[in-house]
């Protein structure tokens, strides 16, 4: 699609639908019903990688492709590290993604943007100043 040059999709032969985005391959039942999955290179076997968590890991981000289409890993880390409260981290990230989508892809619809942020370490409470103690 001209509006989404980096978005790869599978199309039904001679039709403008379903325009299945590759990240949503698990939902492509209409392609499967027509026996087209194999013909068009779509497989349902996920790519799985493993990473051993260490004491240095601070959080884990589970997010849909709409997040990763517009932000890099480093940008996501910076956004989460700058949040004042962890309870708003995912919301802040999605708000940033929506703004970035509107800027980068002005003619396209905003893709699904769902995020779960799992923090491993407790945040240290802010240091109290001398004036806080004497008040």
């Amino acid at each position: 699609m001209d509006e989404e040059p980096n978005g790869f999709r599978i199309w039904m032969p001679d039709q403008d639908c379903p325009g299945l985005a590759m990240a949503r391959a698990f939902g492509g039942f209409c392609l499967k019903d027509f026996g087209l999955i194999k013909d068009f290179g779509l497989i349902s076997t996920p790519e799985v990688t493993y990473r051993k968590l260490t004491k240095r890991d601070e959080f884990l981000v589970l997010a849909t492709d709409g997040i990763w289409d517009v932000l890099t890993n480093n940008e996501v880390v910076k956004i989460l590290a700058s949040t004042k409260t962890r309870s708003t981290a995912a919301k802040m990230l999605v708000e940033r993604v929506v703004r970035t989508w509107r800027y980068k892809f002005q003619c396209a619809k905003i893709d699904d943007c769902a995020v779960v942020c799992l923090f491993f370490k407790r945040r240290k409470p802010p240091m109290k100043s001398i004036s806080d103690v004497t008040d």
Side-chain angles (χ1 to χ4, degrees):
M1 294 174 45
D2 293 336
E3 300 87 22
E4 298 178 47
N6 296 323
F8 299 103
R9 296 180 181 272
I10 293 180
W11 300 90
M12 295 288 285
D14 305 318
Q15 296 182 26
D16 284 339
C17 65
L20 178 69
M22 299 305 279
R24 294 188 205 114
F26 291 110
F29 296 115
C30 61
L31 287 174
K32 184 177 180 183
D33 292 343
F34 287 101
L36 299 173
I37 299 265
K38 199 176 200 181
D39 297 336
F40 288 90
L42 180 65
I43 59 169
S44 61
T45 306
E47 180 180 318
V48 178
T49 58
Y50 296 91
R51 183 182 185 284
K52 186 175 181 177
L53 297 175
T54 68
K55 291 180 181 180
R56 293 181 53 208
D57 292 309
E58 296 183 26
F59 51 81
L60 173 71
V61 178
L62 302 173
T64 58
D65 61 323
I67 304 297
W68 308 115
D69 285 345
V70 295
L71 294 181
T72 65
N73 286 342
N74 287 337
E75 290 170 320
V76 169
V77 168
K78 286 179 185 177
I79 292 166
L80 294 183
S82 71
T83 60
K84 295 190 190 304
T85 60
R86 291 178 173 179
S87 61
T88 61
K91 182 180 178 182
M92 281 186 58
L93 184 57
V94 169
E95 288 172 354
R96 169 71 183 277
V97 167
V98 169
R99 285 194 311 269
T100 306
W101 262 98
R102 288 183 178 142
Y103 175 75
K104 284 187 174 182
F105 305 110
Q106 296 173 8
C107 297
K109 291 183 180 180
I110 297 170
D111 200 358
D112 57 317
C113 300
V115 179
V116 174
C117 302
L118 175 63
F119 292 90
F120 300 130
K121 298 178 181 181
R122 291 183 182 215
R123 264 201 178 150
K124 294 177 184 174
M127 297 290 290
K128 290 186 177 183
S129 67
I130 293 176
S131 62
D132 291 338
V133 175
T134 57
D135 288 341

PDB file of all heavy atoms in Angstrom, residues 96-125:
ATOM      1  N   ARG A  96       2.112   8.205  23.422  1.00  0.00           N
ATOM      2  CA  ARG A  96       3.259   8.596  22.590  1.00  0.00           C
ATOM      3  C   ARG A  96       3.201   7.915  21.228  1.00  0.00           C
ATOM      4  O   ARG A  96       3.462   8.518  20.190  1.00  0.00           O
ATOM      5  CB  ARG A  96       4.556   8.255  23.313  1.00  0.00           C
ATOM      6  CG  ARG A  96       5.807   8.361  22.488  1.00  0.00           C
ATOM      7  CD  ARG A  96       6.183   9.817  22.159  1.00  0.00           C
ATOM      8  NE  ARG A  96       7.343   9.862  21.313  1.00  0.00           N
ATOM      9  CZ  ARG A  96       8.605   9.788  21.749  1.00  0.00           C
ATOM     10  NH1 ARG A  96       8.854   9.692  23.031  1.00  0.00           N
ATOM     11  NH2 ARG A  96       9.592   9.817  20.896  1.00  0.00           N
ATOM     12  N   VAL A  97       2.826   6.642  21.220  1.00  0.00           N
ATOM     13  CA  VAL A  97       2.737   5.892  19.973  1.00  0.00           C
ATOM     14  C   VAL A  97       1.668   6.493  19.059  1.00  0.00           C
ATOM     15  O   VAL A  97       1.896   6.653  17.857  1.00  0.00           O
ATOM     16  CB  VAL A  97       2.453   4.398  20.247  1.00  0.00           C
ATOM     17  CG1 VAL A  97       2.044   3.670  18.988  1.00  0.00           C
ATOM     18  CG2 VAL A  97       3.681   3.738  20.848  1.00  0.00           C
ATOM     19  N   VAL A  98       0.527   6.828  19.607  1.00  0.00           N
ATOM     20  CA  VAL A  98      -0.553   7.411  18.803  1.00  0.00           C
ATOM     21  C   VAL A  98      -0.099   8.721  18.181  1.00  0.00           C
ATOM     22  O   VAL A  98      -0.324   8.969  16.990  1.00  0.00           O
ATOM     23  CB  VAL A  98      -1.828   7.606  19.654  1.00  0.00           C
ATOM     24  CG1 VAL A  98      -2.852   8.452  18.926  1.00  0.00           C
ATOM     25  CG2 VAL A  98      -2.412   6.249  20.023  1.00  0.00           C
ATOM     26  N   ARG A  99       0.575   9.567  18.949  1.00  0.00           N
ATOM     27  CA  ARG A  99       1.110  10.834  18.386  1.00  0.00           C
ATOM     28  C   ARG A  99       2.126  10.556  17.283  1.00  0.00           C
ATOM     29  O   ARG A  99       2.128  11.213  16.245  1.00  0.00           O
ATOM     30  CB  ARG A  99       1.758  11.674  19.495  1.00  0.00           C
ATOM     31  CG  ARG A  99       0.782  12.352  20.408  1.00  0.00           C
ATOM     32  CD  ARG A  99       1.442  13.421  21.269  1.00  0.00           C
ATOM     33  NE  ARG A  99       2.652  12.996  21.944  1.00  0.00           N
ATOM     34  CZ  ARG A  99       2.679  12.460  23.166  1.00  0.00           C
ATOM     35  NH1 ARG A  99       1.575  12.276  23.842  1.00  0.00           N
ATOM     36  NH2 ARG A  99       3.831  12.121  23.710  1.00  0.00           N
ATOM     37  N   THR A 100       2.983   9.563  17.503  1.00  0.00           N
ATOM     38  CA  THR A 100       4.007   9.232  16.515  1.00  0.00           C
ATOM     39  C   THR A 100       3.385   8.669  15.248  1.00  0.00           C
ATOM     40  O   THR A 100       3.814   8.999  14.136  1.00  0.00           O
ATOM     41  CB  THR A 100       5.022   8.233  17.114  1.00  0.00           C
ATOM     42  OG1 THR A 100       5.537   8.774  18.332  1.00  0.00           O
ATOM     43  CG2 THR A 100       6.166   7.978  16.157  1.00  0.00           C
ATOM     44  N   TRP A 101       2.362   7.814  15.390  1.00  0.00           N
ATOM     45  CA  TRP A 101       1.646   7.284  14.221  1.00  0.00           C
ATOM     46  C   TRP A 101       1.075   8.433  13.399  1.00  0.00           C
ATOM     47  O   TRP A 101       1.182   8.450  12.171  1.00  0.00           O
ATOM     48  CB  TRP A 101       0.494   6.365  14.662  1.00  0.00           C
ATOM     49  CG  TRP A 101       0.845   4.916  14.619  1.00  0.00           C
ATOM     50  CD1 TRP A 101       1.250   4.150  15.664  1.00  0.00           C
ATOM     51  CD2 TRP A 101       0.835   4.061  13.480  1.00  0.00           C
ATOM     52  NE1 TRP A 101       1.485   2.863  15.238  1.00  0.00           N
ATOM     53  CE2 TRP A 101       1.235   2.783  13.906  1.00  0.00           C
ATOM     54  CE3 TRP A 101       0.515   4.247  12.143  1.00  0.00           C
ATOM     55  CZ2 TRP A 101       1.325   1.701  13.042  1.00  0.00           C
ATOM     56  CZ3 TRP A 101       0.606   3.166  11.278  1.00  0.00           C
ATOM     57  CH2 TRP A 101       1.010   1.910  11.742  1.00  0.00           C
ATOM     58  N   ARG A 102       0.426   9.396  14.066  1.00  0.00           N
ATOM     59  CA  ARG A 102      -0.195  10.519  13.347  1.00  0.00           C
ATOM     60  C   ARG A 102       0.845  11.362  12.616  1.00  0.00           C
ATOM     61  O   ARG A 102       0.574  11.924  11.567  1.00  0.00           O
ATOM     62  CB  ARG A 102      -0.992  11.378  14.320  1.00  0.00           C
ATOM     63  CG  ARG A 102      -2.258  10.696  14.772  1.00  0.00           C
ATOM     64  CD  ARG A 102      -3.087  11.571  15.672  1.00  0.00           C
ATOM     65  NE  ARG A 102      -4.305  10.878  16.043  1.00  0.00           N
ATOM     66  CZ  ARG A 102      -4.866  10.935  17.221  1.00  0.00           C
ATOM     67  NH1 ARG A 102      -4.333  11.684  18.175  1.00  0.00           N
ATOM     68  NH2 ARG A 102      -5.968  10.268  17.475  1.00  0.00           N
ATOM     69  N   TYR A 103       2.033  11.450  13.184  1.00  0.00           N
ATOM     70  CA  TYR A 103       3.099  12.233  12.561  1.00  0.00           C
ATOM     71  C   TYR A 103       3.752  11.472  11.402  1.00  0.00           C
ATOM     72  O   TYR A 103       3.932  12.004  10.317  1.00  0.00           O
ATOM     73  CB  TYR A 103       4.140  12.603  13.624  1.00  0.00           C
ATOM     74  CG  TYR A 103       5.337  13.309  13.048  1.00  0.00           C
ATOM     75  CD1 TYR A 103       5.263  14.645  12.657  1.00  0.00           C
ATOM     76  CD2 TYR A 103       6.543  12.638  12.881  1.00  0.00           C
ATOM     77  CE1 TYR A 103       6.359  15.296  12.126  1.00  0.00           C
ATOM     78  CE2 TYR A 103       7.642  13.280  12.346  1.00  0.00           C
ATOM     79  CZ  TYR A 103       7.547  14.602  11.963  1.00  0.00           C
ATOM     80  OH  TYR A 103       8.633  15.237  11.429  1.00  0.00           O
ATOM     81  N   LYS A 104       4.093  10.208  11.638  1.00  0.00           N
ATOM     82  CA  LYS A 104       4.818   9.423  10.630  1.00  0.00           C
ATOM     83  C   LYS A 104       3.943   8.942   9.479  1.00  0.00           C
ATOM     84  O   LYS A 104       4.388   8.880   8.349  1.00  0.00           O
ATOM     85  CB  LYS A 104       5.481   8.201  11.281  1.00  0.00           C
ATOM     86  CG  LYS A 104       6.716   8.504  12.074  1.00  0.00           C
ATOM     87  CD  LYS A 104       7.378   7.210  12.528  1.00  0.00           C
ATOM     88  CE  LYS A 104       8.701   7.470  13.191  1.00  0.00           C
ATOM     89  NZ  LYS A 104       9.374   6.223  13.586  1.00  0.00           N
ATOM     90  N   PHE A 105       2.721   8.541   9.780  1.00  0.00           N
ATOM     91  CA  PHE A 105       1.829   7.952   8.778  1.00  0.00           C
ATOM     92  C   PHE A 105       0.523   8.734   8.731  1.00  0.00           C
ATOM     93  O   PHE A 105      -0.520   8.238   9.133  1.00  0.00           O
ATOM     94  CB  PHE A 105       1.557   6.475   9.093  1.00  0.00           C
ATOM     95  CG  PHE A 105       2.795   5.641   9.239  1.00  0.00           C
ATOM     96  CD1 PHE A 105       3.174   5.138  10.472  1.00  0.00           C
ATOM     97  CD2 PHE A 105       3.584   5.354   8.137  1.00  0.00           C
ATOM     98  CE1 PHE A 105       4.315   4.357  10.612  1.00  0.00           C
ATOM     99  CE2 PHE A 105       4.725   4.576   8.261  1.00  0.00           C
ATOM    100  CZ  PHE A 105       5.083   4.084   9.501  1.00  0.00           C
ATOM    101  N   GLN A 106       0.577   9.942   8.240  1.00  0.00           N
ATOM    102  CA  GLN A 106      -0.577  10.832   8.272  1.00  0.00           C
ATOM    103  C   GLN A 106      -1.775  10.305   7.481  1.00  0.00           C
ATOM    104  O   GLN A 106      -2.917  10.618   7.796  1.00  0.00           O
ATOM    105  CB  GLN A 106      -0.174  12.208   7.769  1.00  0.00           C
ATOM    106  CG  GLN A 106       0.838  12.869   8.673  1.00  0.00           C
ATOM    107  CD  GLN A 106       1.383  14.163   8.108  1.00  0.00           C
ATOM    108  OE1 GLN A 106       0.905  14.658   7.095  1.00  0.00           O
ATOM    109  NE2 GLN A 106       2.395  14.710   8.756  1.00  0.00           N
ATOM    110  N   CYS A 107      -1.538   9.517   6.456  1.00  0.00           N
ATOM    111  CA  CYS A 107      -2.631   9.009   5.612  1.00  0.00           C
ATOM    112  C   CYS A 107      -3.131   7.636   6.050  1.00  0.00           C
ATOM    113  O   CYS A 107      -4.091   7.121   5.484  1.00  0.00           O
ATOM    114  CB  CYS A 107      -2.181   8.945   4.152  1.00  0.00           C
ATOM    115  SG  CYS A 107      -1.793  10.552   3.465  1.00  0.00           S
ATOM    116  N   ALA A 108      -2.494   7.048   7.027  1.00  0.00           N
ATOM    117  CA  ALA A 108      -2.856   5.686   7.436  1.00  0.00           C
ATOM    118  C   ALA A 108      -3.643   5.709   8.739  1.00  0.00           C
ATOM    119  O   ALA A 108      -3.545   6.647   9.530  1.00  0.00           O
ATOM    120  CB  ALA A 108      -1.597   4.846   7.619  1.00  0.00           C
ATOM    121  N   LYS A 109      -4.400   4.656   8.945  1.00  0.00           N
ATOM    122  CA  LYS A 109      -5.084   4.482  10.218  1.00  0.00           C
ATOM    123  C   LYS A 109      -4.064   4.038  11.248  1.00  0.00           C
ATOM    124  O   LYS A 109      -3.098   3.347  10.928  1.00  0.00           O
ATOM    125  CB  LYS A 109      -6.184   3.430  10.098  1.00  0.00           C
ATOM    126  CG  LYS A 109      -7.347   3.877   9.251  1.00  0.00           C
ATOM    127  CD  LYS A 109      -8.425   2.817   9.241  1.00  0.00           C
ATOM    128  CE  LYS A 109      -9.593   3.281   8.398  1.00  0.00           C
ATOM    129  NZ  LYS A 109     -10.660   2.287   8.351  1.00  0.00           N
ATOM    130  N   ILE A 110      -4.303   4.400  12.492  1.00  0.00           N
ATOM    131  CA  ILE A 110      -3.404   3.999  13.571  1.00  0.00           C
ATOM    132  C   ILE A 110      -3.629   2.517  13.849  1.00  0.00           C
ATOM    133  O   ILE A 110      -4.757   2.064  14.019  1.00  0.00           O
ATOM    134  CB  ILE A 110      -3.662   4.836  14.836  1.00  0.00           C
ATOM    135  CG1 ILE A 110      -3.368   6.307  14.537  1.00  0.00           C
ATOM    136  CG2 ILE A 110      -2.828   4.333  16.004  1.00  0.00           C
ATOM    137  CD1 ILE A 110      -3.805   7.253  15.628  1.00  0.00           C
ATOM    138  N   ASP A 111      -2.545   1.769  13.873  1.00  0.00           N
ATOM    139  CA  ASP A 111      -2.625   0.332  14.123  1.00  0.00           C
ATOM    140  C   ASP A 111      -2.972   0.082  15.591  1.00  0.00           C
ATOM    141  O   ASP A 111      -2.886   0.987  16.418  1.00  0.00           O
ATOM    142  CB  ASP A 111      -1.288  -0.330  13.774  1.00  0.00           C
ATOM    143  CG  ASP A 111      -1.406  -1.817  13.535  1.00  0.00           C
ATOM    144  OD1 ASP A 111      -2.524  -2.361  13.669  1.00  0.00           O
ATOM    145  OD2 ASP A 111      -0.395  -2.453  13.225  1.00  0.00           O
ATOM    146  N   ASP A 112      -3.322  -1.159  15.891  1.00  0.00           N
ATOM    147  CA  ASP A 112      -3.641  -1.502  17.269  1.00  0.00           C
ATOM    148  C   ASP A 112      -2.420  -1.266  18.147  1.00  0.00           C
ATOM    149  O   ASP A 112      -1.297  -1.568  17.772  1.00  0.00           O
ATOM    150  CB  ASP A 112      -4.119  -2.961  17.371  1.00  0.00           C
ATOM    151  CG  ASP A 112      -3.096  -3.945  16.836  1.00  0.00           C
ATOM    152  OD1 ASP A 112      -2.513  -3.663  15.776  1.00  0.00           O
ATOM    153  OD2 ASP A 112      -2.873  -4.977  17.477  1.00  0.00           O
ATOM    154  N   CYS A 113      -2.656  -0.675  19.301  1.00  0.00           N
ATOM    155  CA  CYS A 113      -1.575  -0.305  20.212  1.00  0.00           C
ATOM    156  C   CYS A 113      -1.916  -0.779  21.618  1.00  0.00           C
ATOM    157  O   CYS A 113      -2.530  -0.057  22.396  1.00  0.00           O
ATOM    158  CB  CYS A 113      -1.371   1.212  20.219  1.00  0.00           C
ATOM    159  SG  CYS A 113      -0.957   1.910  18.628  1.00  0.00           S
ATOM    160  N   ALA A 114      -1.547  -1.993  21.934  1.00  0.00           N
ATOM    161  CA  ALA A 114      -1.786  -2.546  23.261  1.00  0.00           C
ATOM    162  C   ALA A 114      -0.446  -2.855  23.914  1.00  0.00           C
ATOM    163  O   ALA A 114       0.463  -3.369  23.260  1.00  0.00           O
ATOM    164  CB  ALA A 114      -2.638  -3.805  23.163  1.00  0.00           C
ATOM    165  N   VAL A 115      -0.343  -2.528  25.207  1.00  0.00           N
ATOM    166  CA  VAL A 115       0.920  -2.697  25.926  1.00  0.00           C
ATOM    167  C   VAL A 115       0.665  -3.211  27.334  1.00  0.00           C
ATOM    168  O   VAL A 115      -0.276  -2.781  27.996  1.00  0.00           O
ATOM    169  CB  VAL A 115       1.665  -1.345  26.049  1.00  0.00           C
ATOM    170  CG1 VAL A 115       2.968  -1.508  26.810  1.00  0.00           C
ATOM    171  CG2 VAL A 115       1.920  -0.729  24.710  1.00  0.00           C
ATOM    172  N   VAL A 116       1.537  -4.110  27.770  1.00  0.00           N
ATOM    173  CA  VAL A 116       1.590  -4.524  29.166  1.00  0.00           C
ATOM    174  C   VAL A 116       3.027  -4.304  29.614  1.00  0.00           C
ATOM    175  O   VAL A 116       3.968  -4.761  28.951  1.00  0.00           O
ATOM    176  CB  VAL A 116       1.209  -6.015  29.346  1.00  0.00           C
ATOM    177  CG1 VAL A 116       1.410  -6.454  30.787  1.00  0.00           C
ATOM    178  CG2 VAL A 116      -0.217  -6.255  28.894  1.00  0.00           C
ATOM    179  N   CYS A 117       3.205  -3.595  30.708  1.00  0.00           N
ATOM    180  CA  CYS A 117       4.542  -3.338  31.253  1.00  0.00           C
ATOM    181  C   CYS A 117       4.662  -4.052  32.595  1.00  0.00           C
ATOM    182  O   CYS A 117       3.872  -3.811  33.505  1.00  0.00           O
ATOM    183  CB  CYS A 117       4.767  -1.848  31.469  1.00  0.00           C
ATOM    184  SG  CYS A 117       4.571  -0.859  29.981  1.00  0.00           S
ATOM    185  N   LEU A 118       5.634  -4.928  32.696  1.00  0.00           N
ATOM    186  CA  LEU A 118       5.875  -5.672  33.920  1.00  0.00           C
ATOM    187  C   LEU A 118       7.205  -5.205  34.506  1.00  0.00           C
ATOM    188  O   LEU A 118       8.263  -5.405  33.896  1.00  0.00           O
ATOM    189  CB  LEU A 118       5.919  -7.180  33.621  1.00  0.00           C
ATOM    190  CG  LEU A 118       6.284  -8.096  34.778  1.00  0.00           C
ATOM    191  CD1 LEU A 118       5.244  -8.003  35.882  1.00  0.00           C
ATOM    192  CD2 LEU A 118       6.441  -9.522  34.294  1.00  0.00           C
ATOM    193  N   PHE A 119       7.140  -4.578  35.671  1.00  0.00           N
ATOM    194  CA  PHE A 119       8.339  -4.073  36.331  1.00  0.00           C
ATOM    195  C   PHE A 119       8.823  -5.095  37.344  1.00  0.00           C
ATOM    196  O   PHE A 119       8.041  -5.635  38.120  1.00  0.00           O
ATOM    197  CB  PHE A 119       8.046  -2.738  37.017  1.00  0.00           C
ATOM    198  CG  PHE A 119       7.775  -1.631  36.042  1.00  0.00           C
ATOM    199  CD1 PHE A 119       6.489  -1.377  35.601  1.00  0.00           C
ATOM    200  CD2 PHE A 119       8.810  -0.852  35.564  1.00  0.00           C
ATOM    201  CE1 PHE A 119       6.231  -0.368  34.695  1.00  0.00           C
ATOM    202  CE2 PHE A 119       8.565   0.162  34.655  1.00  0.00           C
ATOM    203  CZ  PHE A 119       7.274   0.403  34.219  1.00  0.00           C
ATOM    204  N   PHE A 120      10.128  -5.369  37.342  1.00  0.00           N
ATOM    205  CA  PHE A 120      10.703  -6.386  38.213  1.00  0.00           C
ATOM    206  C   PHE A 120      11.199  -5.834  39.541  1.00  0.00           C
ATOM    207  O   PHE A 120      11.184  -6.517  40.544  1.00  0.00           O
ATOM    208  CB  PHE A 120      11.891  -7.085  37.529  1.00  0.00           C
ATOM    209  CG  PHE A 120      11.510  -7.777  36.256  1.00  0.00           C
ATOM    210  CD1 PHE A 120      12.228  -7.563  35.101  1.00  0.00           C
ATOM    211  CD2 PHE A 120      10.438  -8.652  36.204  1.00  0.00           C
ATOM    212  CE1 PHE A 120      11.897  -8.206  33.921  1.00  0.00           C
ATOM    213  CE2 PHE A 120      10.084  -9.295  35.035  1.00  0.00           C
ATOM    214  CZ  PHE A 120      10.822  -9.071  33.892  1.00  0.00           C
ATOM    215  N   LYS A 121      11.662  -4.613  39.547  1.00  0.00           N
ATOM    216  CA  LYS A 121      12.281  -4.047  40.746  1.00  0.00           C
ATOM    217  C   LYS A 121      11.372  -3.011  41.380  1.00  0.00           C
ATOM    218  O   LYS A 121      10.630  -2.315  40.695  1.00  0.00           O
ATOM    219  CB  LYS A 121      13.614  -3.386  40.387  1.00  0.00           C
ATOM    220  CG  LYS A 121      14.633  -4.345  39.836  1.00  0.00           C
ATOM    221  CD  LYS A 121      15.895  -3.631  39.466  1.00  0.00           C
ATOM    222  CE  LYS A 121      16.914  -4.604  38.892  1.00  0.00           C
ATOM    223  NZ  LYS A 121      18.162  -3.930  38.536  1.00  0.00           N
ATOM    224  N   ARG A 122      11.470  -2.921  42.681  1.00  0.00           N
ATOM    225  CA  ARG A 122      10.743  -1.868  43.381  1.00  0.00           C
ATOM    226  C   ARG A 122      11.475  -0.560  43.163  1.00  0.00           C
ATOM    227  O   ARG A 122      12.701  -0.520  43.149  1.00  0.00           O
ATOM    228  CB  ARG A 122      10.679  -2.149  44.878  1.00  0.00           C
ATOM    229  CG  ARG A 122       9.820  -3.323  45.207  1.00  0.00           C
ATOM    230  CD  ARG A 122       9.747  -3.489  46.698  1.00  0.00           C
ATOM    231  NE  ARG A 122       8.965  -4.653  47.005  1.00  0.00           N
ATOM    232  CZ  ARG A 122       8.172  -4.745  48.037  1.00  0.00           C
ATOM    233  NH1 ARG A 122       8.087  -3.747  48.884  1.00  0.00           N
ATOM    234  NH2 ARG A 122       7.479  -5.835  48.249  1.00  0.00           N
ATOM    235  N   ARG A 123      10.697   0.478  43.011  1.00  0.00           N
ATOM    236  CA  ARG A 123      11.310   1.804  42.890  1.00  0.00           C
ATOM    237  C   ARG A 123      11.714   2.287  44.263  1.00  0.00           C
ATOM    238  O   ARG A 123      10.979   2.126  45.233  1.00  0.00           O
ATOM    239  CB  ARG A 123      10.318   2.795  42.301  1.00  0.00           C
ATOM    240  CG  ARG A 123      10.481   2.936  40.847  1.00  0.00           C
ATOM    241  CD  ARG A 123       9.881   4.231  40.372  1.00  0.00           C
ATOM    242  NE  ARG A 123      10.128   4.289  38.949  1.00  0.00           N
ATOM    243  CZ  ARG A 123       9.355   4.882  38.091  1.00  0.00           C
ATOM    244  NH1 ARG A 123       8.270   5.495  38.490  1.00  0.00           N
ATOM    245  NH2 ARG A 123       9.652   4.890  36.823  1.00  0.00           N
ATOM    246  N   LYS A 124      12.869   2.912  44.324  1.00  0.00           N
ATOM    247  CA  LYS A 124      13.321   3.477  45.592  1.00  0.00           C
ATOM    248  C   LYS A 124      12.488   4.719  45.875  1.00  0.00           C
ATOM    249  O   LYS A 124      12.243   5.523  44.970  1.00  0.00           O
ATOM    250  CB  LYS A 124      14.799   3.845  45.508  1.00  0.00           C
ATOM    251  CG  LYS A 124      15.687   2.638  45.337  1.00  0.00           C
ATOM    252  CD  LYS A 124      17.121   3.044  45.198  1.00  0.00           C
ATOM    253  CE  LYS A 124      17.982   1.831  44.936  1.00  0.00           C
ATOM    254  NZ  LYS A 124      19.365   2.177  44.647  1.00  0.00           N
ATOM    255  N   PRO A 125      12.057   4.895  47.115  1.00  0.00           N
ATOM    256  CA  PRO A 125      11.300   6.112  47.417  1.00  0.00           C
ATOM    257  C   PRO A 125      12.197   7.327  47.259  1.00  0.00           C
ATOM    258  O   PRO A 125      13.415   7.238  47.446  1.00  0.00           O
ATOM    259  CB  PRO A 125      10.878   5.918  48.870  1.00  0.00           C
ATOM    260  CG  PRO A 125      11.747   4.840  49.408  1.00  0.00           C
ATOM    261  CD  PRO A 125      12.247   4.037  48.251  1.00  0.00           C
TER     262      PRO A 125
END
